[in-house]
Amino acid sequence: MLRILKHMVAKFHREEDGGIAVESVLVFPMLTWAYLATFVYFDAFRSQSTALKAAYTISDALSRETDYITNQYVTSVWRMHRFLTITSQRTKLRISVITFDADDDRYYVRWSRNKGGMGNLNNGNISNIEDQLPVMPDGEIVIVVQTEVVYEPIFSIGLEAFVFENLVVTRPRFAPQLCYSHNGNANSAQC
């Protein structure tokens, strides 16, 4: 009896049937997670690149503008930003014109408008972005375009939703400065 039992245990030990099925059950969840994680990470990089390109596109369009910027223009640019970023999430946009004063060694906001709830930039809160602004000569005027786009992963792989924040600085190209007027008249213009 002991001999038969030894023989059965040895035979069971040598048997390899079903090994692939067990390995598949153990490995399949890890392979699935790795595939989904790769998809989500590449989608996040694509979204980040698209958001940055959209901010540069808007900044470039504003730098070529020679007429007054109006509320309707800012709304149209914001809608274009949503279109370019291909997102169902709410986006935020802020357009500001700033200048540098060498005597005070600080930046000043000429005007600022936003859409989507980002809030306007002013002389009190410009210090929040000073480290992102370029070194400028005295009296230089630049256009600052700031955007925010929320990214939510399609699959839950341990990556939470986050915001892509972009800041693009551009000099006006065809005019000495970019002016804002809520109705397009020179009487109400901010330059």
Side-chain angles (χ1 to χ4, degrees):
M1 178 75 160
L2 187 57
R3 188 172 173 186
I4 294 174
L5 189 58
K6 273 185 168 180
H7 177 64
M8 288 174 61
V9 169
K11 184 178 177 189
F12 178 76
H13 184 61
R14 285 188 306 247
E15 192 67 43
E16 293 183 8
D17 290 347
I20 292 176
V22 171
E23 290 173 3
S24 296
V25 168
L26 294 174
V27 172
F28 184 72
M30 290 187 295
L31 286 176
T32 303
W33 181 88
Y35 177 75
L36 294 177
T38 302
F39 180 81
V40 167
Y41 285 123
F42 277 102
D43 185 53
F45 287 128
R46 181 201 55 79
S47 295
Q48 180 185 28
S49 175
T50 303
L52 183 60
K53 289 175 184 175
Y56 273 108
T57 300
I58 290 167
S59 181
D60 184 57
L62 289 168
S63 73
R64 297 168 189 271
E65 195 60 55
T66 55
D67 277 341
Y68 296 113
I69 301 300
T70 62
N71 281 334
Q72 183 179 4
Y73 188 98
V74 174
T75 301
S76 297
V77 167
W78 178 53
R79 287 182 181 151
M80 182 177 71
H81 181 256
R82 287 201 59 182
F83 173 75
L84 291 173
T85 54
I86 313 166
T87 182
S88 60
Q89 302 296 323
R90 190 167 182 88
T91 64
K92 296 180 182 180
L93 169 75
R94 176 167 49 206
I95 301 168
S96 307
V97 173
I98 64 168
T99 186
F100 182 74
D101 187 341
D103 295 334
D104 295 343
D105 192 30
R106 66 172 292 204
Y107 300 92
Y108 289 99
V109 177
R110 296 262 181 131
W111 63 267
S112 181
R113 294 295 176 267
N114 79 85
K115 290 292 179 184
M118 186 179 265
N120 289 335
L121 194 63
N122 58 46
N123 292 329
N125 64 7
I126 195 168
S127 60
N128 296 338
I129 64 165
E130 276 185 356
D131 59 332
Q132 299 173 330
L133 297 175
V135 175
M136 297 166 43
D138 186 38
E140 180 76 21
I141 296 172
V142 294
I143 304 163
V144 177
V145 174
Q146 293 173 267
T147 61
E148 290 183 6
V149 179
V150 175
Y151 177 75
E152 287 199 28
I154 297 171
F155 301 108
S156 177
I157 59 158
L159 185 65
E160 299 296 323
F162 54 91
V163 177
F164 293 123
E165 297 176 356
N166 295 303
L167 183 140
V168 179
V169 179
T170 310
R171 291 181 62 209
R173 294 177 189 237
F174 304 123
Q177 59 189 348
L178 183 66
C179 296
Y180 172 81
S181 173
H182 71 281
N183 58 9
N185 291 335
N187 299 338
S188 64
Q190 294 176 309
C191 293

